Amino acid sequence: MAKKRRPQSQAAKPQAGDAPIPVVGAREPCPCGSGRRYKACHGRAASHAAAELVQRPFEGLPGEADWVALRELVPAATVELKLKGGLPEGVPSVRLATVLPMAWPALRRDDGSVLLGLQNDTPTGDLSRDLADTLQRALDAEPGTPIETTRVNADGPRLQDLLDLEGPFEPAVHTGFEFWVDNAENVTGEVAASLERANAAAIPTVRLAGVDAAYWCETPEKNHLRWVMTHPEEQLLDALARLHAARETSLGEGTRLVGSFRAHGLTVPVWDLPGSVRAEDVEKPAAAFAERLAGALADTAPLTPEERRARGGLTSRQVTLN
């Protein structure tokens, strides 16, 4: 004989209405009252939202290309951030930083200022939402408090909702991580040792002044120029192929366009440079290349066979960073 089904208790009845469902542990009962575990009920939607990748998380922010560069390419840099409606009381400044000590997502310093780390692992596929959540928690934290990684509300604000979209985005590239602490020249002990280790691992990097989001860097074998561009990828690859086939991608003697990165929805052409070529040496060649690129981007004619071969070569040497 089939067992009689027990009537569902009042506590197990699903919640009515459109009230938000709190986030709980994956194996805990779902707060909606369905009687199922959270991971098999409303946790499915939350998990899907967390896994869904936003291809261009910084789109719409001032300096999108520089956001990508600081996230993926630049070891040590900071940027002053402006918030919509101004800074809260007791917060003298908010700065974005490539890396923070102990890989903290953010830090509310003793003076109340906030450092927001950019090069951290994040819990969802929307980097902008993750950073916005960390920023909000840092603004509310007590001075002298590091901010930990936590679960992010899938419906929370994004950076585009919190930051002043009219303000400039002006990265300051540093030779080391002295910005971590006040009076870095006077630190001692483990703090000094930690700074020394971090500084030793930082690749010397300089942001070019004459073009947007182009970064020279020095490595033991050769130097490089990594230039983050916001043009649509297919259009940019066509333009680079036209210039490459015409032998017009050089930035001077011994330089060579070797391929590109793909990062956060943007394309990053990369040049090899001789070890003797410094950042100041490529300022004028980069500005001249930008003019040639603008002309190639405006060309809508079909690619010639030689240009198609050049495009295929560039595409085959493209590396995705995220």
Side-chain angles (χ1 to χ4, degrees):
M1 179 182 295
K3 293 182 179 180
K4 292 184 179 180
R5 188 172 182 178
R6 296 176 62 184
Q8 192 177 42
S9 67
Q10 185 68 27
K13 290 180 181 179
Q15 296 178 1
D18 297 324
I21 304 300
V23 175
V24 298
R27 299 179 65 83
E28 295 180 36
C30 187
C32 76
S34 66
R36 292 180 291 173
R37 289 177 177 173
Y38 179 70
K39 69 176 183 179
C41 192
H42 280 83
R44 285 183 174 178
S47 177
H48 175 73
E52 190 172 358
L53 179 65
V54 175
Q55 295 292 337
R56 288 181 66 174
F58 307 120
E59 186 175 16
L61 292 175
E64 179 189 6
D66 283 305
W67 278 90
V68 172
L70 268 56
R71 167 72 180 182
E72 300 294 341
L73 306 174
V74 181
T78 56
V79 186
E80 196 82 13
L81 297 180
K82 302 297 183 183
L83 305 185
K84 288 182 179 178
L87 295 170
E89 184 177 356
V91 181
S93 67
V94 175
R95 283 194 296 165
L96 182 72
T98 48
V99 180
L100 294 179
M102 308 296 292
W104 288 325
L107 173 65
R108 182 79 186 271
R109 305 183 73 173
D110 291 337
D111 66 354
S113 63
V114 169
L115 282 175
L116 176 65
L118 183 57
Q119 295 181 13
N120 296 91
D121 293 334
T122 54
T124 81
D126 187 350
L127 184 55
S128 176
R129 197 180 307 280
D130 295 339
L131 289 168
D133 177 82
T134 301
L135 175 57
Q136 286 188 308
R137 290 187 291 115
L139 292 170
D140 292 336
E142 291 295 324
T145 305
I147 308 303
E148 304 291 341
T149 301
T150 189
R151 191 189 303 269
V152 175
N153 186 342
D155 297 324
R158 307 178 75 239
L159 289 173
Q160 289 82 347
D161 302 314
L162 301 183
L163 300 183
D164 178 2
L165 303 184
E166 302 300 322
F169 190 81
E170 300 173 340
V173 179
H174 305 288
T175 57
F177 296 93
E178 283 76 14
F179 62 84
W180 283 352
V181 294
D182 294 323
N183 301 316
E185 63 277 6
N186 296 324
V187 299
T188 59
E190 180 55 33
V191 175
S194 178
L195 267 177
E196 185 177 354
R197 289 193 297 270
N199 289 344
I203 296 174
T205 301
V206 176
R207 184 179 186 268
L208 298 194
V211 294
D212 291 334
Y215 290 81
W216 170 93
C217 65
E218 181 181 26
T219 63
E221 296 80 18
K222 60 187 69 175
N223 299 339
H224 305 279
L225 184 72
R226 300 162 175 174
W227 193 341
V228 187
M229 298 183 176
T230 57
H231 310 293
E233 182 180 15
E234 296 302 315
Q235 183 185 3
L236 176 57
L237 288 174
D238 281 352
L240 291 173
R242 295 183 196 278
L243 295 176
H244 202 59
R247 294 175 172 78
E248 293 184 347
T249 55
S250 173
L251 298 178
E253 184 177 355
T255 68
R256 185 166 68 97
L257 176 64
V258 293
S260 62
F261 297 132
R262 182 190 292 114
H264 303 289
L266 300 185
T267 304
V268 188
V270 178
W271 282 261
D272 278 352
L273 311 173
S276 60
V277 173
R278 316 305 294 173
E280 58 270 22
D281 299 327
V282 291
E283 286 280 7
K284 288 184 178 179
F289 176 82
E291 293 183 3
R292 297 196 298 273
L293 180 63
L297 286 166
D299 188 345
T300 58
L303 297 180
T304 66
E306 185 178 2
E307 290 168 346
R308 287 198 299 271
R309 286 192 294 272
R311 193 185 196 281
L314 291 171
T315 304
S316 69
R317 297 191 297 276
Q318 192 172 51
V319 177
T320 300
L321 297 182
N322 66 300

